[in-house]
Amino acid sequence: NGNNYYRIPTLVVAKNGDILAFSDKRKGGAGDVPNHPIETVMKRSTDNGTNWSEEVRISPESPTKNLSYGDGAYILDRETGNIICMVVGDYGFLTTKRDEYPKIRLIIGKNNGHDWSEPIDITDEIYGPNCKNEERKQWYAAFVTAGNGVQLKDGRMLFVLNVRPSSAANLQSIRNYALYSD
């Protein structure tokens, strides 16, 4: 699609049976932030994947590389029918500084993914200098791993959280945690 690249596809089946195909739309190149702006887009199939709608952007437009919404992770909440989308953006995971760190945002899809909320920044609840948890306050970077999360029988939603707990920027320093919500 022009000078755009699509990465990180994920499928979710809405409560009404529609198939929703999500992807990053990386503007101007396939790389991660902070190299290119990233938006989250979706296509819908109402006939089990035979035909697909036009692309719909579910995140706000990303006019600059320092305001992005990518690496989406998704769960269909079986109780409410809402589609929970976690995205990350703004700063690169391995290039982060203490005052410039990736933001984690929540976007909620209602009405079988026809209506999407504005992104809610939940970074401070998870990590960073404004987090109330003393250990997580020290983390340098975190992002929710792209793809599908899991919802347990009791309703708890689980995502994998990748964490760079220190200034070390190598693969050996990365840790994984479970991010959950009841």
Side-chain angles (χ1 to χ4, degrees):
N1 182 7
N3 197 25
N4 298 313
Y5 296 78
Y6 294 82
R7 289 184 53 194
I8 323 227
T10 304
L11 295 175
V12 172
V13 178
K15 216 164 183 179
N16 70 348
D18 289 359
I19 301 172
L20 309 178
F22 297 94
S23 180
D24 282 6
K25 178 179 183 178
R26 296 181 178 219
K27 298 164 75 173
D32 290 323
V33 293
N35 300 316
H36 303 282
I38 302 173
E39 298 170 353
T40 300
V41 296
M42 175 193 85
K43 287 188 175 189
R44 174 186 307 275
S45 175
T46 59
D47 58 8
N48 207 30
T50 301
N51 296 293
W52 293 90
S53 70
E54 293 295 315
E55 173 183 296
V56 174
R57 185 171 28 86
I58 69 163
S59 69
E61 184 177 2
S62 294
T64 70
K65 60 186 179 179
N66 289 326
L67 182 60
S68 289
Y69 308 90
D71 291 326
Y74 307 87
I75 289 177
L76 169 68
D77 182 350
R78 293 184 310 267
E79 183 177 321
T80 65
N82 291 343
I83 298 149
I84 307 303
C85 171
M86 305 283 285
V87 292
V88 66
D90 303 357
Y91 297 98
F93 182 72
L94 294 176
T95 58
T96 300
K97 300 174 186 170
R98 290 297 293 148
D99 58 341
E100 296 177 344
Y101 50 95
K103 304 297 185 204
I104 299 172
R105 297 180 180 101
L106 169 67
I107 304 173
I108 300 171
K110 296 186 177 191
N111 191 21
N112 296 301
H114 286 283
D115 303 309
W116 292 90
S117 72
E118 288 296 315
I120 303 162
D121 188 336
I122 60 170
T123 310
D124 293 346
E125 295 177 47
I126 299 169
Y127 86 105
N130 298 318
C131 181
K132 292 179 182 176
N133 179 284
E134 288 302 318
E135 178 186 351
R136 298 189 323 250
K137 180 181 259 187
Q138 303 306 314
W139 291 354
Y140 270 67
F143 74 94
V144 179
T145 303
N148 290 98
V150 175
Q151 187 174 34
L152 303 179
K153 286 181 182 179
D154 66 1
R156 176 173 280 180
M157 293 179 226
L158 297 165
F159 293 98
V160 175
L161 184 69
N162 287 305
V163 173
R164 195 176 119 220
S166 69
S167 62
N170 56 58
L171 296 179
Q172 293 76 23
S173 67
I174 297 171
R175 303 289 180 260
N176 290 323
Y177 290 82
L179 175 67
Y180 68 90
S181 175
D182 293 323

Short mmCIF file of all heavy atoms in Angstrom, two decimals, residues 6-39:
data_model
loop_
_atom_site.label_atom_id
_atom_site.label_comp_id
_atom_site.label_asym_id
_atom_site.label_seq_id
_atom_site.Cartn_x
_atom_site.Cartn_y
_atom_site.Cartn_z
N TYR A 6 3.24 -3.54 6.33
CA TYR A 6 2.33 -4.15 7.30
C TYR A 6 3.05 -5.29 8.00
O TYR A 6 3.64 -6.15 7.34
CB TYR A 6 1.06 -4.64 6.60
CG TYR A 6 0.27 -3.48 6.04
CD1 TYR A 6 0.59 -2.89 4.83
CD2 TYR A 6 -0.78 -2.94 6.78
CE1 TYR A 6 -0.12 -1.82 4.35
CE2 TYR A 6 -1.50 -1.86 6.30
CZ TYR A 6 -1.16 -1.30 5.08
OH TYR A 6 -1.86 -0.22 4.61
N ARG A 7 3.00 -5.26 9.33
CA ARG A 7 3.66 -6.29 10.13
C ARG A 7 2.76 -6.68 11.29
O ARG A 7 1.85 -5.98 11.65
CB ARG A 7 4.99 -5.75 10.71
CG ARG A 7 6.07 -5.56 9.69
CD ARG A 7 7.38 -5.12 10.31
NE ARG A 7 7.80 -6.01 11.39
CZ ARG A 7 8.75 -5.72 12.27
NH1 ARG A 7 9.38 -4.57 12.20
NH2 ARG A 7 9.07 -6.56 13.22
N ILE A 8 3.08 -7.81 11.88
CA ILE A 8 2.47 -8.30 13.11
C ILE A 8 0.97 -8.54 12.95
O ILE A 8 0.16 -7.93 13.64
CB ILE A 8 2.76 -7.36 14.29
CG1 ILE A 8 4.15 -6.80 14.19
CG2 ILE A 8 2.46 -8.06 15.60
CD1 ILE A 8 5.06 -6.78 15.31
N PRO A 9 0.56 -9.43 12.04
CA PRO A 9 -0.86 -9.71 11.88
C PRO A 9 -1.42 -10.54 13.03
O PRO A 9 -0.71 -11.38 13.59
CB PRO A 9 -0.92 -10.50 10.56
CG PRO A 9 0.42 -11.17 10.50
CD PRO A 9 1.39 -10.22 11.14
N THR A 10 -2.67 -10.29 13.37
CA THR A 10 -3.36 -11.04 14.43
C THR A 10 -4.83 -11.16 14.05
O THR A 10 -5.42 -10.19 13.58
CB THR A 10 -3.24 -10.32 15.79
OG1 THR A 10 -1.86 -10.12 16.09
CG2 THR A 10 -3.86 -11.14 16.90
N LEU A 11 -5.40 -12.33 14.30
CA LEU A 11 -6.83 -12.54 14.04
C LEU A 11 -7.59 -12.67 15.35
O LEU A 11 -7.12 -13.30 16.29
CB LEU A 11 -7.05 -13.82 13.23
CG LEU A 11 -6.49 -13.84 11.82
CD1 LEU A 11 -6.70 -15.22 11.20
CD2 LEU A 11 -7.13 -12.78 10.95
N VAL A 12 -8.78 -12.09 15.37
CA VAL A 12 -9.71 -12.22 16.50
C VAL A 12 -11.09 -12.46 15.90
O VAL A 12 -11.47 -11.80 14.93
CB VAL A 12 -9.73 -10.94 17.37
CG1 VAL A 12 -10.84 -11.01 18.41
CG2 VAL A 12 -8.38 -10.71 18.03
N VAL A 13 -11.83 -13.41 16.47
CA VAL A 13 -13.20 -13.64 16.04
C VAL A 13 -14.11 -12.90 17.03
O VAL A 13 -14.09 -13.18 18.23
CB VAL A 13 -13.55 -15.13 15.99
CG1 VAL A 13 -15.01 -15.32 15.59
CG2 VAL A 13 -12.62 -15.86 15.02
N ALA A 14 -14.86 -11.93 16.52
CA ALA A 14 -15.77 -11.14 17.35
C ALA A 14 -16.93 -12.03 17.83
O ALA A 14 -17.16 -13.12 17.29
CB ALA A 14 -16.30 -9.94 16.57
N LYS A 15 -17.65 -11.53 18.80
CA LYS A 15 -18.75 -12.30 19.38
C LYS A 15 -19.84 -12.65 18.35
O LYS A 15 -20.49 -13.67 18.46
CB LYS A 15 -19.36 -11.53 20.56
CG LYS A 15 -19.80 -12.44 21.67
CD LYS A 15 -20.02 -11.69 22.96
CE LYS A 15 -20.37 -12.73 24.02
NZ LYS A 15 -20.58 -12.16 25.31
N ASN A 16 -20.01 -11.81 17.33
CA ASN A 16 -21.01 -12.08 16.30
C ASN A 16 -20.49 -12.98 15.18
O ASN A 16 -21.20 -13.25 14.22
CB ASN A 16 -21.54 -10.77 15.71
CG ASN A 16 -20.50 -10.05 14.86
OD1 ASN A 16 -19.31 -10.38 14.88
ND2 ASN A 16 -20.94 -9.04 14.14
N GLY A 17 -19.23 -13.43 15.28
CA GLY A 17 -18.64 -14.32 14.28
C GLY A 17 -17.80 -13.64 13.22
O GLY A 17 -17.14 -14.31 12.43
N ASP A 18 -17.80 -12.30 13.17
CA ASP A 18 -16.94 -11.61 12.22
C ASP A 18 -15.48 -11.91 12.54
O ASP A 18 -15.09 -11.99 13.72
CB ASP A 18 -17.13 -10.09 12.31
CG ASP A 18 -18.45 -9.61 11.76
OD1 ASP A 18 -19.25 -10.44 11.28
OD2 ASP A 18 -18.69 -8.38 11.82
N ILE A 19 -14.66 -12.07 11.50
CA ILE A 19 -13.22 -12.24 11.68
C ILE A 19 -12.59 -10.86 11.52
O ILE A 19 -12.80 -10.18 10.52
CB ILE A 19 -12.63 -13.22 10.66
CG1 ILE A 19 -13.30 -14.59 10.80
CG2 ILE A 19 -11.12 -13.34 10.85
CD1 ILE A 19 -12.90 -15.57 9.71
N LEU A 20 -11.80 -10.48 12.52
CA LEU A 20 -11.10 -9.20 12.49
C LEU A 20 -9.62 -9.48 12.32
O LEU A 20 -9.03 -10.21 13.12
CB LEU A 20 -11.37 -8.42 13.78
CG LEU A 20 -12.84 -8.27 14.19
CD1 LEU A 20 -12.95 -7.52 15.51
CD2 LEU A 20 -13.64 -7.59 13.10
N ALA A 21 -9.02 -8.92 11.28
CA ALA A 21 -7.59 -9.08 11.01
C ALA A 21 -6.90 -7.76 11.33
O ALA A 21 -7.17 -6.74 10.68
CB ALA A 21 -7.36 -9.48 9.56
N PHE A 22 -6.02 -7.77 12.33
CA PHE A 22 -5.31 -6.58 12.77
C PHE A 22 -3.87 -6.62 12.28
O PHE A 22 -3.30 -7.69 12.07
CB PHE A 22 -5.29 -6.49 14.29
CG PHE A 22 -6.65 -6.37 14.91
CD1 PHE A 22 -7.34 -7.50 15.33
CD2 PHE A 22 -7.24 -5.13 15.07
CE1 PHE A 22 -8.60 -7.38 15.91
CE2 PHE A 22 -8.50 -5.00 15.64
CZ PHE A 22 -9.17 -6.14 16.06
N SER A 23 -3.27 -5.44 12.13
CA SER A 23 -1.88 -5.36 11.72
C SER A 23 -1.32 -3.98 12.07
O SER A 23 -2.06 -3.01 12.20
CB SER A 23 -1.77 -5.58 10.21
OG SER A 23 -0.43 -5.51 9.78
N ASP A 24 0.00 -3.93 12.18
CA ASP A 24 0.68 -2.64 12.22
C ASP A 24 0.73 -2.10 10.80
O ASP A 24 1.01 -2.83 9.86
CB ASP A 24 2.14 -2.79 12.68
CG ASP A 24 2.31 -2.97 14.15
OD1 ASP A 24 1.30 -3.09 14.86
OD2 ASP A 24 3.47 -3.00 14.60
N LYS A 25 0.48 -0.80 10.67
CA LYS A 25 0.72 -0.09 9.41
C LYS A 25 1.92 0.80 9.69
O LYS A 25 1.82 1.79 10.41
CB LYS A 25 -0.50 0.74 9.02
CG LYS A 25 -0.30 1.53 7.74
CD LYS A 25 -1.58 2.31 7.42
CE LYS A 25 -1.48 3.07 6.13
NZ LYS A 25 -2.75 3.76 5.83
N ARG A 26 3.06 0.41 9.15
CA ARG A 26 4.30 1.13 9.40
C ARG A 26 4.54 2.06 8.22
O ARG A 26 4.74 1.62 7.10
CB ARG A 26 5.42 0.15 9.63
CG ARG A 26 5.12 -0.65 10.91
CD ARG A 26 6.16 -1.64 11.26
NE ARG A 26 5.77 -2.30 12.51
CZ ARG A 26 6.62 -2.63 13.46
NH1 ARG A 26 7.90 -2.37 13.33
NH2 ARG A 26 6.19 -3.23 14.55
N LYS A 27 4.53 3.34 8.53
CA LYS A 27 4.56 4.36 7.49
C LYS A 27 5.99 4.69 7.08
O LYS A 27 6.78 5.13 7.90
CB LYS A 27 3.83 5.60 7.98
CG LYS A 27 2.35 5.32 8.28
CD LYS A 27 1.68 6.38 9.10
CE LYS A 27 1.40 7.61 8.32
NZ LYS A 27 0.58 8.59 9.09
N GLY A 28 6.31 4.43 5.80
CA GLY A 28 7.60 4.81 5.26
C GLY A 28 8.69 3.78 5.43
O GLY A 28 9.81 3.97 4.97
N GLY A 29 8.44 2.69 6.12
CA GLY A 29 9.45 1.65 6.30
C GLY A 29 8.95 0.56 7.24
O GLY A 29 8.00 0.77 7.99
N ALA A 30 9.60 -0.57 7.21
CA ALA A 30 9.15 -1.72 7.99
C ALA A 30 9.70 -1.74 9.41
O ALA A 30 9.31 -2.58 10.22
CB ALA A 30 9.55 -3.02 7.28
N GLY A 31 10.59 -0.81 9.75
CA GLY A 31 11.25 -0.83 11.05
C GLY A 31 10.36 -0.45 12.21
O GLY A 31 9.22 -0.02 12.06
N ASP A 32 10.91 -0.64 13.39
CA ASP A 32 10.23 -0.31 14.65
C ASP A 32 10.34 1.17 14.95
O ASP A 32 11.11 1.90 14.33
CB ASP A 32 10.86 -1.10 15.80
CG ASP A 32 10.55 -2.58 15.72
OD1 ASP A 32 9.44 -2.94 15.32
OD2 ASP A 32 11.44 -3.38 16.06
N VAL A 33 9.57 1.61 15.97
CA VAL A 33 9.79 2.96 16.48
C VAL A 33 11.18 2.99 17.10
O VAL A 33 11.64 1.97 17.57
CB VAL A 33 8.71 3.37 17.51
CG1 VAL A 33 7.37 3.49 16.87
CG2 VAL A 33 8.66 2.43 18.68
N PRO A 34 11.88 4.07 17.06
CA PRO A 34 11.45 5.40 16.65
C PRO A 34 11.76 5.72 15.19
O PRO A 34 11.81 6.89 14.83
CB PRO A 34 12.23 6.30 17.59
CG PRO A 34 13.53 5.59 17.77
CD PRO A 34 13.18 4.12 17.73
N ASN A 35 11.97 4.72 14.36
CA ASN A 35 12.35 4.98 12.97
C ASN A 35 11.18 5.39 12.07
O ASN A 35 11.37 6.11 11.11
CB ASN A 35 13.04 3.76 12.38
CG ASN A 35 14.30 3.42 13.15
OD1 ASN A 35 15.07 4.30 13.48
ND2 ASN A 35 14.48 2.16 13.46
N HIS A 36 9.98 4.88 12.38
CA HIS A 36 8.83 5.14 11.53
C HIS A 36 7.58 5.25 12.39
O HIS A 36 7.43 4.54 13.38
CB HIS A 36 8.62 4.00 10.52
CG HIS A 36 9.82 3.76 9.67
ND1 HIS A 36 10.15 4.56 8.60
CD2 HIS A 36 10.79 2.82 9.74
CE1 HIS A 36 11.25 4.13 8.06
NE2 HIS A 36 11.67 3.07 8.73
N PRO A 37 6.63 6.11 12.00
CA PRO A 37 5.33 6.14 12.69
C PRO A 37 4.58 4.82 12.45
O PRO A 37 4.66 4.25 11.37
CB PRO A 37 4.59 7.30 12.04
CG PRO A 37 5.60 8.06 11.26
CD PRO A 37 6.70 7.11 10.95
N ILE A 38 3.85 4.37 13.46
CA ILE A 38 3.09 3.12 13.36
C ILE A 38 1.66 3.38 13.79
O ILE A 38 1.40 4.01 14.80
CB ILE A 38 3.71 2.01 14.24
CG1 ILE A 38 5.16 1.75 13.83
CG2 ILE A 38 2.88 0.73 14.14
CD1 ILE A 38 5.89 0.80 14.76
N GLU A 39 0.73 2.86 12.99
CA GLU A 39 -0.69 2.90 13.32
C GLU A 39 -1.21 1.46 13.36
O GLU A 39 -0.64 0.57 12.76
CB GLU A 39 -1.45 3.69 12.26
CG GLU A 39 -1.00 5.13 12.17
CD GLU A 39 -1.57 5.88 10.98
OE1 GLU A 39 -2.21 5.28 10.11
OE2 GLU A 39 -1.34 7.10 10.93
#
